[in-house]
PDB file of all heavy atoms in Angstrom:
ATOM      1  N   SER A 217    -136.666  21.353  -3.271  1.00 98.00           N
ATOM      2  CA  SER A 217    -138.043  21.003  -3.577  1.00 98.00           C
ATOM      3  C   SER A 217    -138.021  20.178  -4.852  1.00 98.00           C
ATOM      4  O   SER A 217    -136.983  19.886  -5.485  1.00 98.00           O
ATOM      5  CB  SER A 217    -138.914  22.217  -3.712  1.00 98.00           C
ATOM      6  OG  SER A 217    -140.349  21.839  -3.764  1.00 98.00           O
ATOM      7  N   THR A 218    -139.228  19.719  -5.269  1.00 98.00           N
ATOM      8  CA  THR A 218    -139.460  18.924  -6.387  1.00 98.00           C
ATOM      9  C   THR A 218    -140.421  19.630  -7.385  1.00 98.00           C
ATOM     10  O   THR A 218    -141.077  20.588  -6.943  1.00 98.00           O
ATOM     11  CB  THR A 218    -139.960  17.545  -6.108  1.00 98.00           C
ATOM     12  OG1 THR A 218    -141.355  17.740  -5.569  1.00 98.00           O
ATOM     13  CG2 THR A 218    -139.159  16.839  -5.007  1.00 98.00           C
ATOM     14  N   LEU A 219    -140.454  19.097  -8.566  1.00 98.00           N
ATOM     15  CA  LEU A 219    -141.431  19.716  -9.526  1.00 98.00           C
ATOM     16  C   LEU A 219    -142.866  19.612  -9.007  1.00 98.00           C
ATOM     17  O   LEU A 219    -143.633  20.565  -9.112  1.00 98.00           O
ATOM     18  CB  LEU A 219    -141.269  19.071 -10.935  1.00 98.00           C
ATOM     19  CG  LEU A 219    -142.166  19.729 -11.951  1.00 98.00           C
ATOM     20  CD1 LEU A 219    -141.418  20.920 -12.479  1.00 98.00           C
ATOM     21  CD2 LEU A 219    -142.522  18.768 -13.037  1.00 98.00           C
ATOM     22  N   GLU A 220    -143.258  18.437  -8.480  1.00 98.00           N
ATOM     23  CA  GLU A 220    -144.637  18.283  -8.043  1.00 98.00           C
ATOM     24  C   GLU A 220    -144.918  19.257  -6.879  1.00 98.00           C
ATOM     25  O   GLU A 220    -146.042  19.854  -6.848  1.00 98.00           O
ATOM     26  CB  GLU A 220    -144.841  16.823  -7.636  1.00 98.00           C
ATOM     27  CG  GLU A 220    -144.775  15.894  -8.821  1.00 98.00           C
ATOM     28  CD  GLU A 220    -145.043  14.482  -8.415  1.00 98.00           C
ATOM     29  OE1 GLU A 220    -145.555  14.262  -7.276  1.00 98.00           O
ATOM     30  OE2 GLU A 220    -144.874  13.563  -9.256  1.00 98.00           O
ATOM     31  N   ASP A 221    -143.994  19.389  -5.955  1.00 98.00           N
ATOM     32  CA  ASP A 221    -144.215  20.353  -4.861  1.00 98.00           C
ATOM     33  C   ASP A 221    -144.281  21.757  -5.320  1.00 98.00           C
ATOM     34  O   ASP A 221    -145.095  22.616  -4.881  1.00 98.00           O
ATOM     35  CB  ASP A 221    -143.095  20.259  -3.735  1.00 98.00           C
ATOM     36  CG  ASP A 221    -143.488  19.270  -2.671  1.00 98.00           C
ATOM     37  OD1 ASP A 221    -144.462  18.451  -2.857  1.00 98.00           O
ATOM     38  OD2 ASP A 221    -142.905  19.293  -1.636  1.00 98.00           O
ATOM     39  N   LEU A 222    -143.359  22.125  -6.328  1.00 98.00           N
ATOM     40  CA  LEU A 222    -143.437  23.508  -6.778  1.00 98.00           C
ATOM     41  C   LEU A 222    -144.681  23.774  -7.506  1.00 98.00           C
ATOM     42  O   LEU A 222    -145.210  24.927  -7.592  1.00 98.00           O
ATOM     43  CB  LEU A 222    -142.192  23.707  -7.715  1.00 98.00           C
ATOM     44  CG  LEU A 222    -140.940  24.350  -7.132  1.00 98.00           C
ATOM     45  CD1 LEU A 222    -140.007  24.807  -8.228  1.00 98.00           C
ATOM     46  CD2 LEU A 222    -141.175  25.485  -6.146  1.00 98.00           C
ATOM     47  N   ALA A 223    -145.195  22.748  -8.192  1.00 98.00           N
ATOM     48  CA  ALA A 223    -146.431  22.909  -8.874  1.00 98.00           C
ATOM     49  C   ALA A 223    -147.588  23.196  -7.914  1.00 98.00           C
ATOM     50  O   ALA A 223    -148.486  24.074  -8.089  1.00 98.00           O
ATOM     51  CB  ALA A 223    -146.818  21.681  -9.679  1.00 98.00           C
ATOM     52  N   ARG A 224    -147.551  22.565  -6.748  1.00 98.00           N
ATOM     53  CA  ARG A 224    -148.574  22.857  -5.668  1.00 98.00           C
ATOM     54  C   ARG A 224    -148.429  24.279  -5.211  1.00 98.00           C
ATOM     55  O   ARG A 224    -149.407  24.900  -4.979  1.00 98.00           O
ATOM     56  CB  ARG A 224    -148.411  21.845  -4.488  1.00 98.00           C
ATOM     57  CG  ARG A 224    -148.773  20.409  -4.823  1.00 98.00           C
ATOM     58  CD  ARG A 224    -148.670  19.548  -3.579  1.00 98.00           C
ATOM     59  NE  ARG A 224    -148.980  18.173  -3.870  1.00 98.00           N
ATOM     60  CZ  ARG A 224    -148.051  17.216  -4.176  1.00 98.00           C
ATOM     61  NH1 ARG A 224    -146.747  17.557  -4.176  1.00 98.00           N
ATOM     62  NH2 ARG A 224    -148.397  15.971  -4.485  1.00 98.00           N
ATOM     63  N   PHE A 225    -147.174  24.724  -5.083  1.00 98.00           N
ATOM     64  CA  PHE A 225    -146.914  26.058  -4.646  1.00 98.00           C
ATOM     65  C   PHE A 225    -147.352  27.106  -5.662  1.00 98.00           C
ATOM     66  O   PHE A 225    -148.027  28.095  -5.320  1.00 98.00           O
ATOM     67  CB  PHE A 225    -145.484  26.236  -4.331  1.00 98.00           C
ATOM     68  CG  PHE A 225    -145.115  27.466  -3.632  1.00 98.00           C
ATOM     69  CD1 PHE A 225    -145.711  27.842  -2.388  1.00 98.00           C
ATOM     70  CD2 PHE A 225    -144.246  28.367  -4.196  1.00 98.00           C
ATOM     71  CE1 PHE A 225    -145.445  29.032  -1.774  1.00 98.00           C
ATOM     72  CE2 PHE A 225    -143.881  29.620  -3.562  1.00 98.00           C
ATOM     73  CZ  PHE A 225    -144.530  29.944  -2.336  1.00 98.00           C
ATOM     74  N   ALA A 226    -147.104  26.812  -6.968  1.00 97.00           N
ATOM     75  CA  ALA A 226    -147.518  27.782  -7.999  1.00 97.00           C
ATOM     76  C   ALA A 226    -149.076  27.810  -8.042  1.00 97.00           C
ATOM     77  O   ALA A 226    -149.662  28.911  -8.228  1.00 97.00           O
ATOM     78  CB  ALA A 226    -146.953  27.316  -9.347  1.00 97.00           C
ATOM     79  N   ALA A 227    -149.713  26.629  -7.849  1.00 96.00           N
ATOM     80  CA  ALA A 227    -151.150  26.578  -7.818  1.00 96.00           C
ATOM     81  C   ALA A 227    -151.736  27.476  -6.682  1.00 96.00           C
ATOM     82  O   ALA A 227    -152.725  28.163  -6.818  1.00 96.00           O
ATOM     83  CB  ALA A 227    -151.699  25.153  -7.790  1.00 96.00           C
ATOM     84  N   PHE A 228    -151.041  27.385  -5.538  1.00 97.00           N
ATOM     85  CA  PHE A 228    -151.454  28.268  -4.390  1.00 97.00           C
ATOM     86  C   PHE A 228    -151.287  29.776  -4.728  1.00 97.00           C
ATOM     87  O   PHE A 228    -152.220  30.484  -4.476  1.00 97.00           O
ATOM     88  CB  PHE A 228    -150.654  27.921  -3.156  1.00 97.00           C
ATOM     89  CG  PHE A 228    -150.704  28.959  -2.097  1.00 97.00           C
ATOM     90  CD1 PHE A 228    -151.923  29.044  -1.334  1.00 97.00           C
ATOM     91  CD2 PHE A 228    -149.676  29.792  -1.822  1.00 97.00           C
ATOM     92  CE1 PHE A 228    -151.984  30.066  -0.345  1.00 97.00           C
ATOM     93  CE2 PHE A 228    -149.676  30.760  -0.868  1.00 97.00           C
ATOM     94  CZ  PHE A 228    -150.897  30.877  -0.163  1.00 97.00           C
ATOM     95  N   LEU A 229    -150.187  30.124  -5.414  1.00 94.00           N
ATOM     96  CA  LEU A 229    -150.007  31.474  -5.831  1.00 94.00           C
ATOM     97  C   LEU A 229    -151.076  32.004  -6.715  1.00 94.00           C
ATOM     98  O   LEU A 229    -151.413  33.187  -6.773  1.00 94.00           O
ATOM     99  CB  LEU A 229    -148.609  31.672  -6.306  1.00 94.00           C
ATOM    100  CG  LEU A 229    -147.360  31.454  -5.469  1.00 94.00           C
ATOM    101  CD1 LEU A 229    -146.105  31.634  -6.237  1.00 94.00           C
ATOM    102  CD2 LEU A 229    -147.492  32.408  -4.274  1.00 94.00           C
ATOM    103  N   SER A 230    -151.615  31.043  -7.518  1.00 92.00           N
ATOM    104  CA  SER A 230    -152.628  31.422  -8.515  1.00 92.00           C
ATOM    105  C   SER A 230    -153.995  31.338  -7.919  1.00 92.00           C
ATOM    106  O   SER A 230    -154.822  32.286  -8.050  1.00 92.00           O
ATOM    107  CB  SER A 230    -152.490  30.523  -9.757  1.00 92.00           C
ATOM    108  OG  SER A 230    -153.562  30.758 -10.605  1.00 92.00           O
ATOM    109  N   GLU A 231    -154.312  30.257  -7.306  1.00 91.00           N
ATOM    110  CA  GLU A 231    -155.675  29.976  -6.864  1.00 91.00           C
ATOM    111  C   GLU A 231    -155.948  30.386  -5.399  1.00 91.00           C
ATOM    112  O   GLU A 231    -157.146  30.585  -5.040  1.00 91.00           O
ATOM    113  CB  GLU A 231    -156.008  28.501  -7.050  1.00 91.00           C
ATOM    114  CG  GLU A 231    -155.666  27.901  -8.359  1.00 91.00           C
ATOM    115  CD  GLU A 231    -156.553  28.549  -9.483  1.00 91.00           C
ATOM    116  OE1 GLU A 231    -157.760  28.652  -9.287  1.00 91.00           O
ATOM    117  OE2 GLU A 231    -155.975  28.900 -10.504  1.00 91.00           O
ATOM    118  N   GLY A 232    -154.960  30.416  -4.592  1.00 92.00           N
ATOM    119  CA  GLY A 232    -155.103  30.850  -3.208  1.00 92.00           C
ATOM    120  C   GLY A 232    -155.608  29.708  -2.315  1.00 92.00           C
ATOM    121  O   GLY A 232    -155.974  28.617  -2.792  1.00 92.00           O
ATOM    122  N   ASP A 233    -155.554  29.908  -1.024  1.00 95.00           N
ATOM    123  CA  ASP A 233    -156.066  28.934  -0.095  1.00 95.00           C
ATOM    124  C   ASP A 233    -156.315  29.709   1.221  1.00 95.00           C
ATOM    125  O   ASP A 233    -155.438  30.000   2.058  1.00 95.00           O
ATOM    126  CB  ASP A 233    -155.056  27.848   0.211  1.00 95.00           C
ATOM    127  CG  ASP A 233    -155.546  26.689   1.005  1.00 95.00           C
ATOM    128  OD1 ASP A 233    -156.630  26.918   1.621  1.00 95.00           O
ATOM    129  OD2 ASP A 233    -155.023  25.586   0.920  1.00 95.00           O
ATOM    130  N   PRO A 234    -157.517  30.188   1.454  1.00 94.00           N
ATOM    131  CA  PRO A 234    -157.836  31.146   2.510  1.00 94.00           C
ATOM    132  C   PRO A 234    -157.340  30.732   3.939  1.00 94.00           C
ATOM    133  O   PRO A 234    -156.917  31.568   4.680  1.00 94.00           O
ATOM    134  CB  PRO A 234    -159.360  31.243   2.458  1.00 94.00           C
ATOM    135  CG  PRO A 234    -159.659  31.101   1.028  1.00 94.00           C
ATOM    136  CD  PRO A 234    -158.751  29.992   0.571  1.00 94.00           C
ATOM    137  N   PRO A 235    -157.376  29.464   4.308  1.00 95.00           N
ATOM    138  CA  PRO A 235    -156.875  29.089   5.634  1.00 95.00           C
ATOM    139  C   PRO A 235    -155.389  29.417   5.811  1.00 95.00           C
ATOM    140  O   PRO A 235    -154.905  29.674   6.884  1.00 95.00           O
ATOM    141  CB  PRO A 235    -157.160  27.615   5.660  1.00 95.00           C
ATOM    142  CG  PRO A 235    -158.246  27.321   4.822  1.00 95.00           C
ATOM    143  CD  PRO A 235    -158.031  28.279   3.607  1.00 95.00           C
ATOM    144  N   ILE A 236    -154.656  29.460   4.674  1.00 97.00           N
ATOM    145  CA  ILE A 236    -153.230  29.805   4.723  1.00 97.00           C
ATOM    146  C   ILE A 236    -153.027  31.253   4.659  1.00 97.00           C
ATOM    147  O   ILE A 236    -152.259  31.880   5.353  1.00 97.00           O
ATOM    148  CB  ILE A 236    -152.506  29.122   3.600  1.00 97.00           C
ATOM    149  CG1 ILE A 236    -152.638  27.500   3.751  1.00 97.00           C
ATOM    150  CG2 ILE A 236    -150.994  29.479   3.606  1.00 97.00           C
ATOM    151  CD1 ILE A 236    -152.013  26.692   2.618  1.00 97.00           C
ATOM    152  N   LEU A 237    -153.728  31.928   3.660  1.00 97.00           N
ATOM    153  CA  LEU A 237    -153.584  33.397   3.513  1.00 97.00           C
ATOM    154  C   LEU A 237    -154.866  33.898   2.868  1.00 97.00           C
ATOM    155  O   LEU A 237    -155.305  33.302   1.838  1.00 97.00           O
ATOM    156  CB  LEU A 237    -152.390  33.723   2.653  1.00 97.00           C
ATOM    157  CG  LEU A 237    -151.859  35.167   2.715  1.00 97.00           C
ATOM    158  CD1 LEU A 237    -151.295  35.438   4.088  1.00 97.00           C
ATOM    159  CD2 LEU A 237    -150.835  35.439   1.604  1.00 97.00           C
ATOM    160  N   ALA A 238    -155.390  34.985   3.381  1.00 96.00           N
ATOM    161  CA  ALA A 238    -156.590  35.584   2.749  1.00 96.00           C
ATOM    162  C   ALA A 238    -156.391  35.954   1.354  1.00 96.00           C
ATOM    163  O   ALA A 238    -155.266  36.332   0.938  1.00 96.00           O
ATOM    164  CB  ALA A 238    -156.962  36.795   3.623  1.00 96.00           C
ATOM    165  N   ALA A 239    -157.369  35.754   0.544  1.00 95.00           N
ATOM    166  CA  ALA A 239    -157.280  36.037  -0.889  1.00 95.00           C
ATOM    167  C   ALA A 239    -156.925  37.449  -1.131  1.00 95.00           C
ATOM    168  O   ALA A 239    -156.109  37.840  -2.045  1.00 95.00           O
ATOM    169  CB  ALA A 239    -158.618  35.749  -1.596  1.00 95.00           C
ATOM    170  N   ARG A 240    -157.438  38.412  -0.381  1.00 96.00           N
ATOM    171  CA  ARG A 240    -157.066  39.778  -0.576  1.00 96.00           C
ATOM    172  C   ARG A 240    -155.630  40.050  -0.283  1.00 96.00           C
ATOM    173  O   ARG A 240    -154.959  40.942  -0.882  1.00 96.00           O
ATOM    174  CB  ARG A 240    -157.965  40.682   0.355  1.00 96.00           C
ATOM    175  CG  ARG A 240    -157.818  40.545   1.839  1.00 96.00           C
ATOM    176  CD  ARG A 240    -158.675  41.439   2.612  1.00 96.00           C
ATOM    177  NE  ARG A 240    -158.447  41.247   4.062  1.00 96.00           N
ATOM    178  CZ  ARG A 240    -158.913  40.316   4.834  1.00 96.00           C
ATOM    179  NH1 ARG A 240    -159.756  39.421   4.284  1.00 96.00           N
ATOM    180  NH2 ARG A 240    -158.617  40.223   6.116  1.00 96.00           N
ATOM    181  N   THR A 241    -155.046  39.303   0.632  1.00 97.00           N
ATOM    182  CA  THR A 241    -153.592  39.483   0.971  1.00 97.00           C
ATOM    183  C   THR A 241    -152.786  38.981  -0.187  1.00 97.00           C
ATOM    184  O   THR A 241    -151.732  39.636  -0.551  1.00 97.00           O
ATOM    185  CB  THR A 241    -153.344  38.750   2.292  1.00 97.00           C
ATOM    186  OG1 THR A 241    -154.101  39.258   3.338  1.00 97.00           O
ATOM    187  CG2 THR A 241    -151.843  38.957   2.687  1.00 97.00           C
ATOM    188  N   LEU A 242    -153.111  37.875  -0.753  1.00 97.00           N
ATOM    189  CA  LEU A 242    -152.388  37.310  -1.854  1.00 97.00           C
ATOM    190  C   LEU A 242    -152.465  38.231  -3.005  1.00 97.00           C
ATOM    191  O   LEU A 242    -151.430  38.466  -3.736  1.00 97.00           O
ATOM    192  CB  LEU A 242    -153.013  35.998  -2.251  1.00 97.00           C
ATOM    193  CG  LEU A 242    -152.084  35.018  -3.129  1.00 97.00           C
ATOM    194  CD1 LEU A 242    -150.733  34.795  -2.452  1.00 97.00           C
ATOM    195  CD2 LEU A 242    -152.798  33.698  -3.325  1.00 97.00           C
ATOM    196  N   THR A 243    -153.584  38.858  -3.248  1.00 96.00           N
ATOM    197  CA  THR A 243    -153.765  39.910  -4.293  1.00 96.00           C
ATOM    198  C   THR A 243    -152.858  41.097  -4.022  1.00 96.00           C
ATOM    199  O   THR A 243    -152.228  41.684  -4.883  1.00 96.00           O
ATOM    200  CB  THR A 243    -155.221  40.352  -4.427  1.00 96.00           C
ATOM    201  OG1 THR A 243    -156.043  39.225  -4.788  1.00 96.00           O
ATOM    202  CG2 THR A 243    -155.334  41.416  -5.461  1.00 96.00           C
TER     203      THR A 243
END
Side-chain angles (χ1 to χ4, degrees):
S217 192
T218 66
L219 186 82
E220 292 183 13
D221 266 18
L222 269 195
R224 292 185 182 93
F225 189 57
F228 164 73
L229 293 178
S230 174
E231 308 297 313
D233 191 341
I236 298 173
L237 198 69
R240 65 179 182 278
T241 302
L242 198 54
T243 299

